[in-house]
Amino acid sequence: MNPSFFSSPSHEQQTPGLSGFSIRVAVPSDLTQLADILAMSFHSGEGFVEWVYPVLRLGIYEDLKNRLRSKAEHYICLVAELVSREEGTHNYRSHRAQCITGTIEIALRSRFPWQIPSSDYPYLSNLAVHPEYRRQGVAQQLLSNCEETAREWGFSEIYLHVLENNHAARQLYYQAGYRLQQVDWNWTGWLLGQPRRLFLRKQILLS
């Protein structure tokens, strides 16, 4: 593959230094902050979007709330939160609503629901990092935790989609070891001039 093509475990990891990021499973009290981060990441908030932004954010909030409530066996939403080494992990975790820096979701999808045995595979979605904390390793830690989850579920591969014109995300995924599996194409996207969706795969080693 040409590099130029790409421009419920414990979940407790921290980066070295005076401050770091701890990864944990999301809880309902995180919803407000997560909706903010997801809305900022996937909607510009400019032009016409500025007028409908509150509606978009509310939709994100409600969708995520329903997923958290579903209690599905193979679904996890992770959050990254800021941890100060000087003030201590415990002190910061008593103020979770103020220090969430990113999120990601992992669940099982099925290529062919009618197929026996099942063709389920672990799929990542909604990776988002607060603008103030980008390029600090948050996304890499979230991806790493999801890969560990996939291993614990017994899978040796993990998948995700990225838009063709999202060069920053494509570079992130390439550096993390993801490679192109296929290009999703449809008539609607072609007629409207929308970017294609790239389906990426990463091989992970079972423990």
Side-chain angles (χ1 to χ4, degrees):
M1 182 65 64
N2 185 351
S4 65
F5 181 79
F6 290 84
S7 305
S8 169
S10 60
H11 301 293
E12 297 290 344
Q13 293 186 0
Q14 296 176 353
T15 55
L18 294 178
S19 63
F21 302 98
S22 177
I23 310 299
R24 60 173 174 79
V25 176
V27 294
S29 60
D30 298 325
L31 280 168
T32 299
Q33 285 290 301
L34 294 181
D36 286 336
I37 293 172
L38 289 165
M40 284 188 291
S41 297
F42 297 116
H43 302 288
S44 65
E46 300 176 353
F48 172 74
V49 176
E50 181 180 1
W51 295 94
V52 299
Y53 188 84
V55 177
L56 294 172
R57 183 188 171 282
L58 178 60
I60 291 171
Y61 180 99
E62 292 296 331
D63 287 345
L64 182 55
K65 181 174 70 173
N66 290 334
R67 290 195 294 274
L68 290 180
R69 285 179 172 178
S70 70
K71 304 297 183 181
E73 180 181 2
H74 291 107
Y75 166 80
I76 292 178
C77 176
L78 299 179
V79 299
E81 62 182 354
L82 184 65
V83 174
S84 168
R85 298 298 177 82
E86 294 179 344
E87 297 195 33
T89 300
H90 177 75
N91 181 58
Y92 261 66
R93 291 196 176 186
S94 66
H95 301 86
R96 281 179 173 174
Q98 302 176 13
C99 58
I100 293 176
T101 61
T103 183
I104 194 171
E105 295 174 68
I106 178 172
L108 292 189
R109 286 194 175 185
S110 180
R111 293 185 183 87
F112 309 106
W114 59 86
Q115 183 174 331
I116 300 176
S118 172
S119 58
D120 289 349
Y121 59 92
Y123 180 83
L124 304 182
S125 62
N126 293 332
L127 172 60
V129 178
H130 191 286
E132 293 182 8
Y133 297 99
R134 290 173 184 168
R135 301 185 182 277
Q136 297 184 39
V138 176
Q140 291 87 340
Q141 281 192 248
L142 288 166
L143 289 171
S144 177
N145 273 259
C146 285
E147 291 160 15
E148 182 59 32
T149 296
R151 288 190 193 95
E152 295 193 2
W153 288 351
F155 292 92
S156 59
E157 295 179 332
I158 195 166
Y159 297 82
L160 57 85
H161 276 101
V162 64
L163 291 179
E164 187 176 27
N165 64 346
N166 191 341
H167 300 291
R170 288 170 60 180
Q171 183 66 24
L172 166 70
Y173 295 135
Y174 183 83
Q175 292 176 346
Y178 290 81
R179 297 296 182 265
L180 181 66
Q181 177 75 8
Q182 69 182 43
V183 178
D184 291 352
W185 186 91
N186 60 68
W187 280 102
T188 303
W190 179 75
L191 290 172
L192 298 177
Q194 296 175 341
R196 298 180 299 178
R197 297 205 320 157
L198 309 180
F199 191 49
L200 309 185
R201 174 182 66 87
K202 179 178 181 179
Q203 188 81 27
I204 54 178
L205 299 176
L206 292 174
S207 303

